[in-house]
Amino acid sequence: MRYAETGFNLEIDLSRGSIERVETDPRLTPLHLGGQGTAAKILWDRVPPELDPFSPDNLLIFSTGLLHGTPVPGANRTAVNTFSPQTNFYSHSLFGGFFGPELKHAGYDKIIIRGKSSDLVYLWIHDDKVEIRDATHLRGKGAIETGALIKEELKEPEAQVAAIGLAGENRVYMSTIEHSNSSASRGVGVIMGDKKLKAIAVRGTKDINVARPAELFEICDRQYREIYDNPNCGCVFRHEDDESWHINNFAWGNARERRKGMWTQEREAEWAATTRKYTVRWTSCYNCPKDCHISIAYPGRQRYQLKCYSKLTYSMAAYEELDFNYSILGLTQEYGLDGFTTPQLLAFAVELYEAGILTDQDMPGFPATTAERFFWLVEKIARREGIGDVLANGVYWAARQIGKGAEEFDHNTMKKFEQVPLKLSMVNFPYFLMYATGEKMNITQIEGSYPQVPIADREEREEFVAGWEAAPERFKRWFLDWEPREHQSIEASVNIADWNETMHYIDDTIGTCAFLSSFRGQFGGRPPYHIYNLPQFVSCATGMELDDSDLWKIAARNRNLIRALNIRRGLRRSDEKPPEDHWKKRDPEMEQKMLDAYYEFKGWNSEGIPTRKTLEALSLEYVADDFEQRGILPEGEGTPLQEAVQRAGNR
Amino acid sequence: MNDQKVTKNVKEIKVDLDKCIGCRACEIACSAFHSRPRFGATNPARSRIRVVIDELNDVYVPIRAGDYTPAECTGRHKYTINGKEYNECSFCGVSCPSRDYFKEPDSGLPLKCDMCEEDPTLSEPWCVQVCRCDCLTYVEREELVEAEDEPRGEMELGLESLMNKYGVEKVLDAVARVSSKR
């Protein structure tokens, strides 16, 4: 018997209209766990690096986490993986809600979609019965509305639906997949739209078996209560009216400036009143007591659920009050547009117009106020109409298509992807490393375990460290010695980057929410899940005996395999740099030293390519073989002397 | 019929609809508690408490499995409460043919909430214990009720349901027929 996982994937070929239920290889679970880990293995095996992301042979994989459908609280984030036409690299997205656990109960660990349908379809999975159904009547329908319409036509109010909106249908690069209170962003909706798959509806009623049920239930029951009581987890801003953290620290407009003094008591009271006016209810995801989402009823808009920092992104990009954000979100979530990247794209377009690079000829009828302009642009982009067809390719590509100096306004992308609008003063080395080397295109998917800033008061710092169960010993030492305005050492920086990303790589495989784990330790240092208690949850559920170092190693294996996917598609050291102006004061020499040290720590060569030795230690020999065959690694590479020579040569 | 009054312990679960966050922990806990072996599997489809959710209309209603009925009702009432419209079904705990709630997914047999009165009886039903947002609260109170006659035994209950299904005559005929063969 397979524990925690179902042992079956659903393979859908939309070109041929075929549906297969395929047993998975049980040996992959101890190597990769599940979720993103096993998805990466499938992408490695089946999608050659030459393949265009818009090829029918590109795969779109929905993965449940290994712990979905078990009683483990907060295990509900579904991973979506494919290759992105925007970056031409691996694309990784996660969404919460109820979809993953429902899919698990239907009897599947993953849905692997290949091919392209000739017209719009949706997938209906009801336990063993799986159908590809016509969705032409849903063309142009909103992403959230589509969910409701499908449930109604199937007479299945309990079905869980993930759908794309108009933006996805039109292959807009920043389109999302929307489900319940969550969105899958970072460029996966575009591939779903390319395959002409409007939605997936799933209903599952089967049991999931776990290895040590009584013990697991007991620790989960305790954990559920702990999560509820713990103020340092979940979305800590969800019930807060004080928005000063984002308002003061994040940049406005096209990631241009921080506005100190903008946040006042009067504004706080006004914005709080705005939120109250539209708030219907706070809601949570499956089996989690943290109500991180707000159900919003804005007059004239489809009801939607607000999450996280997208509460402010549009207002800050447009220099508008909060009401504007609630209004435009009601539209953009229905169109299925990413609430992080879209506002930056819109602000970028407004800047180009004001600079005379885009003119009234490009944008006939472009309104006068920023708020109206944003709405105008959203309509054009979602439909790929006129200038919208160019902008729908994201800031990087649009800038190059438009030309005439538009490239200068593309100052906040990295690896061709829009970054969080942060403009800071002094370079922070762990962050430099995470930005530069991350495969996930957004810092929020990489940072999170080690605090962003030191605690000035020594006594407070000691107290923090004393109860810091989540941290391996070495980090406690580094944090104790970290004084304000001081840099962390090379050794510390490298380790911090490594620990932060490792925790995400664990969440991504088992399906636990980063707000309870990998993202939350940095604020308060008391995340409910951490490297030392997670092994027990995984062991009780799966029956695999593992400890913190095993978990760390699995995360490293997945990290290297995903790295390899991008290396095979051409990623090299020269791509690994944060946006030029992310920090005002840079230290290029030290940054390169940091990068060298990080690569060395990871067992990568000076180009950031995992060496044979590293790959073999992680049972990824087949990656090394492939690299050598393709000439990415020289044969017999990996000896220290060769590495030193190569490093010297590259300088 | 005796007309004596006796006190009876009445157990209730109160539901505050405004407090539900839709986490469905009650469903998970219920299905785990009632699975064999206990906690062996979690499966909301087997739960005896279900949260009726309609996100777009802000309907979040936990309902508990009550009686079984072989026939659908008309279910045509629409209730407007504080400006919000609810279907009659949203409040109904009956295991009926018109929906999937409260049926074993494998056998289709009806499920019924027992307030976790298994041995040993829990101080509070499990769903209430896990509901951290206090949407579900447990209340016990004493009520004066008319004393029932002798409690009916299993045989009486069984005969009664046979009579309900086939009519008295057919049951009597069957009893006569079967006993004559012995």
Side-chain angles (χ1 to χ4, degrees), chain B residues 16-32:
Chain B
D16 184 340
L17 297 186
D18 288 338
K19 289 185 176 164
C20 182
I21 58 171
C23 73
R24 300 172 61 192
C26 52
E27 298 180 1
I28 294 155
C30 175
S31 68

PDB file of all heavy atoms in Angstrom, chain B residues 16-32:
ATOM      1  N   ASP B  16     -22.699  29.722  14.710  1.00  0.00           N
ATOM      2  CA  ASP B  16     -22.698  31.155  14.430  1.00  0.00           C
ATOM      3  C   ASP B  16     -22.143  31.352  13.001  1.00  0.00           C
ATOM      4  O   ASP B  16     -20.943  31.310  12.787  1.00  0.00           O
ATOM      5  CB  ASP B  16     -21.825  31.891  15.451  1.00  0.00           C
ATOM      6  CG  ASP B  16     -21.875  33.397  15.264  1.00  0.00           C
ATOM      7  OD1 ASP B  16     -22.246  33.857  14.154  1.00  0.00           O
ATOM      8  OD2 ASP B  16     -21.555  34.119  16.225  1.00  0.00           O
ATOM      9  N   LEU B  17     -23.049  31.532  12.066  1.00  0.00           N
ATOM     10  CA  LEU B  17     -22.655  31.550  10.647  1.00  0.00           C
ATOM     11  C   LEU B  17     -21.637  32.638  10.339  1.00  0.00           C
ATOM     12  O   LEU B  17     -20.806  32.483   9.449  1.00  0.00           O
ATOM     13  CB  LEU B  17     -23.881  31.756   9.758  1.00  0.00           C
ATOM     14  CG  LEU B  17     -24.944  30.667   9.808  1.00  0.00           C
ATOM     15  CD1 LEU B  17     -26.021  30.953   8.769  1.00  0.00           C
ATOM     16  CD2 LEU B  17     -24.345  29.297   9.564  1.00  0.00           C
ATOM     17  N   ASP B  18     -21.689  33.739  11.069  1.00  0.00           N
ATOM     18  CA  ASP B  18     -20.774  34.844  10.782  1.00  0.00           C
ATOM     19  C   ASP B  18     -19.332  34.476  11.094  1.00  0.00           C
ATOM     20  O   ASP B  18     -18.405  35.114  10.603  1.00  0.00           O
ATOM     21  CB  ASP B  18     -21.151  36.083  11.592  1.00  0.00           C
ATOM     22  CG  ASP B  18     -22.436  36.699  11.055  1.00  0.00           C
ATOM     23  OD1 ASP B  18     -22.761  36.440   9.882  1.00  0.00           O
ATOM     24  OD2 ASP B  18     -23.118  37.418  11.817  1.00  0.00           O
ATOM     25  N   LYS B  19     -19.140  33.469  11.946  1.00  0.00           N
ATOM     26  CA  LYS B  19     -17.774  33.156  12.374  1.00  0.00           C
ATOM     27  C   LYS B  19     -17.091  32.099  11.530  1.00  0.00           C
ATOM     28  O   LYS B  19     -15.892  31.866  11.669  1.00  0.00           O
ATOM     29  CB  LYS B  19     -17.784  32.721  13.839  1.00  0.00           C
ATOM     30  CG  LYS B  19     -18.069  33.879  14.777  1.00  0.00           C
ATOM     31  CD  LYS B  19     -17.961  33.446  16.218  1.00  0.00           C
ATOM     32  CE  LYS B  19     -18.154  34.648  17.138  1.00  0.00           C
ATOM     33  NZ  LYS B  19     -18.436  34.223  18.513  1.00  0.00           N
ATOM     34  N   CYS B  20     -17.821  31.430  10.659  1.00  0.00           N
ATOM     35  CA  CYS B  20     -17.215  30.350   9.875  1.00  0.00           C
ATOM     36  C   CYS B  20     -16.225  30.937   8.861  1.00  0.00           C
ATOM     37  O   CYS B  20     -16.547  31.881   8.142  1.00  0.00           O
ATOM     38  CB  CYS B  20     -18.284  29.544   9.149  1.00  0.00           C
ATOM     39  SG  CYS B  20     -17.588  28.163   8.201  1.00  0.00           S
ATOM     40  N   ILE B  21     -15.006  30.357   8.814  1.00  0.00           N
ATOM     41  CA  ILE B  21     -14.007  30.812   7.840  1.00  0.00           C
ATOM     42  C   ILE B  21     -13.857  29.785   6.706  1.00  0.00           C
ATOM     43  O   ILE B  21     -13.024  29.945   5.821  1.00  0.00           O
ATOM     44  CB  ILE B  21     -12.629  31.077   8.502  1.00  0.00           C
ATOM     45  CG1 ILE B  21     -12.104  29.824   9.202  1.00  0.00           C
ATOM     46  CG2 ILE B  21     -12.732  32.242   9.488  1.00  0.00           C
ATOM     47  CD1 ILE B  21     -10.656  29.941   9.688  1.00  0.00           C
ATOM     48  N   GLY B  22     -14.650  28.726   6.761  1.00  0.00           N
ATOM     49  CA  GLY B  22     -14.641  27.759   5.657  1.00  0.00           C
ATOM     50  C   GLY B  22     -13.432  26.855   5.613  1.00  0.00           C
ATOM     51  O   GLY B  22     -13.068  26.368   4.546  1.00  0.00           O
ATOM     52  N   CYS B  23     -12.793  26.572   6.756  1.00  0.00           N
ATOM     53  CA  CYS B  23     -11.571  25.761   6.745  1.00  0.00           C
ATOM     54  C   CYS B  23     -11.858  24.268   6.659  1.00  0.00           C
ATOM     55  O   CYS B  23     -10.983  23.486   6.311  1.00  0.00           O
ATOM     56  CB  CYS B  23     -10.704  26.047   7.957  1.00  0.00           C
ATOM     57  SG  CYS B  23     -11.360  25.382   9.499  1.00  0.00           S
ATOM     58  N   ARG B  24     -13.069  23.887   7.022  1.00  0.00           N
ATOM     59  CA  ARG B  24     -13.530  22.492   6.929  1.00  0.00           C
ATOM     60  C   ARG B  24     -12.781  21.553   7.882  1.00  0.00           C
ATOM     61  O   ARG B  24     -12.773  20.337   7.673  1.00  0.00           O
ATOM     62  CB  ARG B  24     -13.449  21.999   5.473  1.00  0.00           C
ATOM     63  CG  ARG B  24     -14.325  22.852   4.562  1.00  0.00           C
ATOM     64  CD  ARG B  24     -14.134  22.536   3.099  1.00  0.00           C
ATOM     65  NE  ARG B  24     -14.467  21.164   2.789  1.00  0.00           N
ATOM     66  CZ  ARG B  24     -14.163  20.572   1.639  1.00  0.00           C
ATOM     67  NH1 ARG B  24     -13.550  21.245   0.697  1.00  0.00           N
ATOM     68  NH2 ARG B  24     -14.478  19.320   1.419  1.00  0.00           N
ATOM     69  N   ALA B  25     -12.162  22.122   8.922  1.00  0.00           N
ATOM     70  CA  ALA B  25     -11.493  21.273   9.918  1.00  0.00           C
ATOM     71  C   ALA B  25     -12.510  20.366  10.603  1.00  0.00           C
ATOM     72  O   ALA B  25     -12.178  19.240  10.993  1.00  0.00           O
ATOM     73  CB  ALA B  25     -10.772  22.132  10.953  1.00  0.00           C
ATOM     74  N   CYS B  26     -13.751  20.829  10.753  1.00  0.00           N
ATOM     75  CA  CYS B  26     -14.790  20.005  11.383  1.00  0.00           C
ATOM     76  C   CYS B  26     -15.037  18.738  10.566  1.00  0.00           C
ATOM     77  O   CYS B  26     -15.183  17.644  11.120  1.00  0.00           O
ATOM     78  CB  CYS B  26     -16.082  20.807  11.562  1.00  0.00           C
ATOM     79  SG  CYS B  26     -16.690  21.634  10.074  1.00  0.00           S
ATOM     80  N   GLU B  27     -15.044  18.880   9.238  1.00  0.00           N
ATOM     81  CA  GLU B  27     -15.275  17.716   8.372  1.00  0.00           C
ATOM     82  C   GLU B  27     -14.132  16.716   8.507  1.00  0.00           C
ATOM     83  O   GLU B  27     -14.345  15.498   8.574  1.00  0.00           O
ATOM     84  CB  GLU B  27     -15.354  18.150   6.901  1.00  0.00           C
ATOM     85  CG  GLU B  27     -16.497  19.104   6.581  1.00  0.00           C
ATOM     86  CD  GLU B  27     -16.527  19.500   5.107  1.00  0.00           C
ATOM     87  OE1 GLU B  27     -15.667  19.015   4.338  1.00  0.00           O
ATOM     88  OE2 GLU B  27     -17.408  20.292   4.723  1.00  0.00           O
ATOM     89  N   ILE B  28     -12.922  17.256   8.543  1.00  0.00           N
ATOM     90  CA  ILE B  28     -11.743  16.400   8.612  1.00  0.00           C
ATOM     91  C   ILE B  28     -11.723  15.646   9.947  1.00  0.00           C
ATOM     92  O   ILE B  28     -11.511  14.440  10.001  1.00  0.00           O
ATOM     93  CB  ILE B  28     -10.476  17.257   8.421  1.00  0.00           C
ATOM     94  CG1 ILE B  28     -10.478  17.807   6.993  1.00  0.00           C
ATOM     95  CG2 ILE B  28      -9.211  16.476   8.724  1.00  0.00           C
ATOM     96  CD1 ILE B  28      -9.690  19.075   6.805  1.00  0.00           C
ATOM     97  N   ALA B  29     -11.994  16.387  11.023  1.00  0.00           N
ATOM     98  CA  ALA B  29     -11.976  15.776  12.356  1.00  0.00           C
ATOM     99  C   ALA B  29     -13.057  14.715  12.479  1.00  0.00           C
ATOM    100  O   ALA B  29     -12.824  13.625  13.000  1.00  0.00           O
ATOM    101  CB  ALA B  29     -12.163  16.859  13.413  1.00  0.00           C
ATOM    102  N   CYS B  30     -14.250  15.014  11.994  1.00  0.00           N
ATOM    103  CA  CYS B  30     -15.369  14.075  12.103  1.00  0.00           C
ATOM    104  C   CYS B  30     -15.054  12.787  11.355  1.00  0.00           C
ATOM    105  O   CYS B  30     -15.220  11.693  11.879  1.00  0.00           O
ATOM    106  CB  CYS B  30     -16.641  14.707  11.553  1.00  0.00           C
ATOM    107  SG  CYS B  30     -18.041  13.558  11.514  1.00  0.00           S
ATOM    108  N   SER B  31     -14.565  12.935  10.125  1.00  0.00           N
ATOM    109  CA  SER B  31     -14.319  11.731   9.329  1.00  0.00           C
ATOM    110  C   SER B  31     -13.199  10.895   9.947  1.00  0.00           C
ATOM    111  O   SER B  31     -13.237   9.670   9.904  1.00  0.00           O
ATOM    112  CB  SER B  31     -13.994  12.092   7.886  1.00  0.00           C
ATOM    113  OG  SER B  31     -12.757  12.749   7.794  1.00  0.00           O
ATOM    114  N   ALA B  32     -12.227  11.564  10.555  1.00  0.00           N
ATOM    115  CA  ALA B  32     -11.122  10.825  11.187  1.00  0.00           C
ATOM    116  C   ALA B  32     -11.617  10.084  12.425  1.00  0.00           C
ATOM    117  O   ALA B  32     -11.301   8.919  12.639  1.00  0.00           O
ATOM    118  CB  ALA B  32      -9.993  11.778  11.551  1.00  0.00           C
TER     119      ALA B  32
END
